[in-house]
Amino acid sequence: MEYFEEERVRRLLRIEDLIPAMRQVLAEFSAGKWQQPLRGVLAQHGGFFGVMPASGDSMGIKMVTFYPGNTKTKLPTHMAVIALFDPATGEPLALMDGRYITEMRTAAVSAVATDALAAPDANVLALLGAGVQAHAHLVMLPHVRRFDEIRVWNHHPEKAQHFAEQHRIKAMDLEAAVRDADVIVTATSAREPILKGEWLKPGAHVNAVGASRPDWRELDDDAMRNVVIVDSYEGARNEAGDVILSGVTPFAELGEILNGSKRVESGTTTIFKSLGMAVEDVAAAKLVYDAARRTGDGLPSGR
Ligand code: NDP
């Protein structure tokens, strides 16, 4: 069985392939073409250990850890391993470091949501949070919209300032960053709402990426009263504090919008509540595995 360390995954995973692959797998998921049980999560020593299997065109499992306290160490807060199998024979094919796939597939899914739901002329982006996901979204979202202004806010302002200088964007106060923004990304480990609905410009689109626990929030009830799109109804019902505690009923899965079975009027203020799904990890891991075959990267010559 082949092993893919993070450097090899980074060489092989291309944004140009990842965004269309996420679009396709989300549409297939909502059309019932994949099996994916609810993520199993064990709470452990202040962290979480998630087990995420999926089977469809490809088959595999991600084992992911989320340790918010790692910000005080050199380790990232999210780390993962993905095992890929051949769905036709059951043969184990590869074991991959899943940290970078988790980082990039999440932002690629937000790019797909933004492309489907944000105004075509959206040109102001606000990033709330200045960690791994904020950076991945900064890289990914310009693939689907042309932003003239990008803003960042962080609960520790010096970190936002540093992030802004590094990427030549603007660090701003929370409310000022959100007001007039066309696309907002909430990518924090917040447990209480940080984004208020009253600040949202009509027609804005929010990618709500954090708050993946049933009792955690990033968005207040006002924000959640807009049209809410989720990655999976089952995941949202069980894991999304923003959905569960606000009591809203999601309008659609993103895949239903993509495959045309549900439609959102243009000009609607939309919230994409992302939790992350195993189908995304498995489809992204298969892209990496296939790219190794196509390019010969890391393979003995002749294979
Ligand atoms: P990082 O640890 O890299 O970044 C976390 C960010 O949240 C930092 O900017 C941190 O600021 C900030 N933060 C921490 N605590 C708070 C708080 N109480 N209030 C406001 N901001 C806070 O994590 P990631 O960027 O990898 O992940 C961000 C979020 O996205 C997490 O909730 C994570 O679980 C979620 N996620 C979701 C995925 C999905 O598929 N939907 C996939 C991967 C992650 P500072 O460092 O200054 O404390």
Side-chain angles (χ1 to χ4, degrees):
M1 187 180 14
E2 248 178 279
Y3 183 69
F4 291 69
E5 77 285 359
E6 180 167 327
E7 272 319 299
R8 191 172 174 212
V9 174
R10 280 178 176 272
R11 281 199 303 277
L12 291 166
L13 190 64
R14 298 187 334 172
I15 292 175
E16 299 73 31
D17 301 331
L18 184 59
I19 293 176
M22 292 302 100
R23 191 175 283 124
Q24 183 179 337
V25 80
L26 287 159
E28 288 175 0
F29 171 76
S30 293
K33 295 185 178 158
W34 285 76
Q35 297 178 60
Q36 179 190 269
L38 185 65
R39 163 164 54 202
V41 182
L42 311 179
Q44 200 77 268
H45 301 292
F48 303 94
F49 177 47
V51 189
M52 305 169 64
S55 174
D57 261 358
S58 37
M59 184 165 90
I61 181 166
K62 180 166 87 168
M63 291 149 279
V64 60
T65 56
F66 172 30
Y67 277 66
N70 282 1
T71 39
K72 294 183 212 87
T73 74
K74 287 208 169 77
L75 286 172
T77 50
H78 295 75
M79 291 174 279
V81 175
I82 300 172
L84 199 60
F85 297 80
D86 181 341
T89 63
E91 181 191 2
L93 299 175
L95 203 59
M96 272 178 215
D97 190 295
R99 197 212 62 77
Y100 184 67
I101 286 179
T102 303
E103 173 182 340
M104 297 310 271
R105 64 74 155 146
T106 305
V109 167
S110 293
V112 170
T114 303
D115 200 24
L117 298 165
D121 61 352
N123 65 3
V124 177
L125 170 65
L127 302 169
L128 308 186
V132 168
Q133 281 305 324
H135 181 255
H137 282 74
L138 175 72
V139 170
M140 199 68 75
L141 295 188
H143 284 262
V144 297
R145 287 294 182 277
R146 185 184 294 269
F147 295 108
D148 298 326
E149 186 177 327
I150 305 184
R151 308 163 172 177
V152 62
W153 166 85
N154 191 53
H155 71 145
H156 294 132
E158 65 284 0
K159 185 164 172 180
Q161 195 57 47
H162 179 70
F163 187 96
E165 281 163 18
Q166 225 179 350
H167 303 294
R168 301 212 187 96
I169 61 173
K170 277 191 194 173
M172 291 174 68
D173 289 343
L174 179 55
E175 180 177 344
V178 173
R179 284 207 186 265
D180 299 327
D182 300 300
V183 177
I184 298 105
V185 177
T186 60
T188 73
S189 301
R191 298 173 186 217
E192 304 294 332
I194 51 160
L195 177 67
K196 291 193 180 172
E198 66 182 71
W199 300 337
L200 290 173
K201 165 181 170 175
H205 170 69
V206 179
N207 295 300
V209 173
S212 55
R213 301 285 306 155
D215 53 349
W216 290 18
R217 301 287 299 261
E218 274 190 319
L219 276 57
D220 74 356
D221 286 355
D222 263 0
M224 292 303 291
R225 274 195 272 273
N226 291 294
V227 170
V228 174
I229 317 293
V230 294
D231 41 17
S232 126
Y233 291 122
E234 190 191 19
R237 262 197 312 271
N238 287 281
E239 294 187 318
D242 284 326
V243 171
I244 297 164
L245 300 173
S246 64
V248 302
T249 303
F251 170 71
E253 287 183 348
L254 180 54
E256 293 178 296
I257 306 285
L258 298 172
N259 66 31
S261 55
K262 295 251 176 96
R263 217 178 140 261
V264 175
E265 292 293 314
S266 70
T268 305
T269 306
T270 46
I271 311 291
F272 171 52
K273 178 55 226 159
S274 163
L275 287 161
M277 300 200 290
V279 297
E280 301 160 2
D281 297 302
V282 171
K286 184 65 167 38
L287 268 188
V288 170
Y289 183 79
D290 288 346
R293 246 107 237 106
R294 204 174 50 247
T295 61
D297 182 291
L299 301 180
S301 56
R303 252 186 90 177

